[in-house]
């Protein structure tokens, strides 16, 4: 990520690609954490203090990310497509790709 962001004068596509790369890395990390935490045999090897430290770090990280998400969403809500829930479900059924926005 540092290598991607070190380049100066990046265009919009490069910025979008960087965000996609970052979200992919975050997603991979989250999936790794989920596998760890769901494996009680593995998690039993950590002390209560270590688990408390991990919990505090995760909660802090998630809180910061959600606060950032809310801030960006609020500042740019006029650019985000507004689709009613019922319309979203209908669009998903009608969309041949199986994806919807």
């Amino acid at each position: 990520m540092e290598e991607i962001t070190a380049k100066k004068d990046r265009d919009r596509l490069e910025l979008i690609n960087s965000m996609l790369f970052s979200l992919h890395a975050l997603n991979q990390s989250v999936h790794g954490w989920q596998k760890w935490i769901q494996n009680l045999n593995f998690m039993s090897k950590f002390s209560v203090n270590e688990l408390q430290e991990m919990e505090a770090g995760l909660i802090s990280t998630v809180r910061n990310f959600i606060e950032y998400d809310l801030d960006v969403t609020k500042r740019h809500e006029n650019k985000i497509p507004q689709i009613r829930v019922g319309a979203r479900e209908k669009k998903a059924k009608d969309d041949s790709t199986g994806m919807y926005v």
Side-chain angles (χ1 to χ4, degrees), residues 1-11 14-15:
M1 286 184 276
E2 289 175 10
E3 186 178 314
I4 292 171
T5 57
K7 182 182 174 194
K8 301 295 181 213
D9 300 322
R10 294 177 293 149
D11 63 21
E14 289 170 312
L15 294 168

Side-chain angles (χ1 to χ4, degrees), residues 83 88-101:
I83 299 176
R88 180 181 299 148
E89 291 167 356
K90 181 181 181 325
K91 181 167 176 51
K93 289 178 185 174
D94 294 343
D95 188 352
S96 63
T97 65
M99 299 173 57
Y100 60 93
V101 178

Side-chain angles (χ1 to χ4, degrees), residues 14 22 24 28 42 57 78:
E14 289 170 312
S22 297
H24 178 71
Q28 292 297 103
F42 174 73
N78 62 325

Side-chain angles (χ1 to χ4, degrees), residues 16 21 28 54 65 77-78 83 98:
I16 292 167
F21 180 83
Q28 292 297 103
M54 286 184 232
F65 183 82
E77 64 186 342
N78 62 325
I83 299 176

Side-chain angles (χ1 to χ4, degrees), residues 9-37:
D9 300 322
R10 294 177 293 149
D11 63 21
R12 290 165 36 123
L13 185 57
E14 289 170 312
L15 294 168
I16 292 167
N17 188 48
S18 176
M19 289 187 284
L20 285 170
F21 180 83
S22 297
L23 284 173
H24 178 71
L26 179 62
N27 187 47
Q28 292 297 103
S29 182
V30 167
H31 282 286
W33 274 92
Q34 286 176 329
K35 286 181 182 179
W36 272 27
I37 293 170

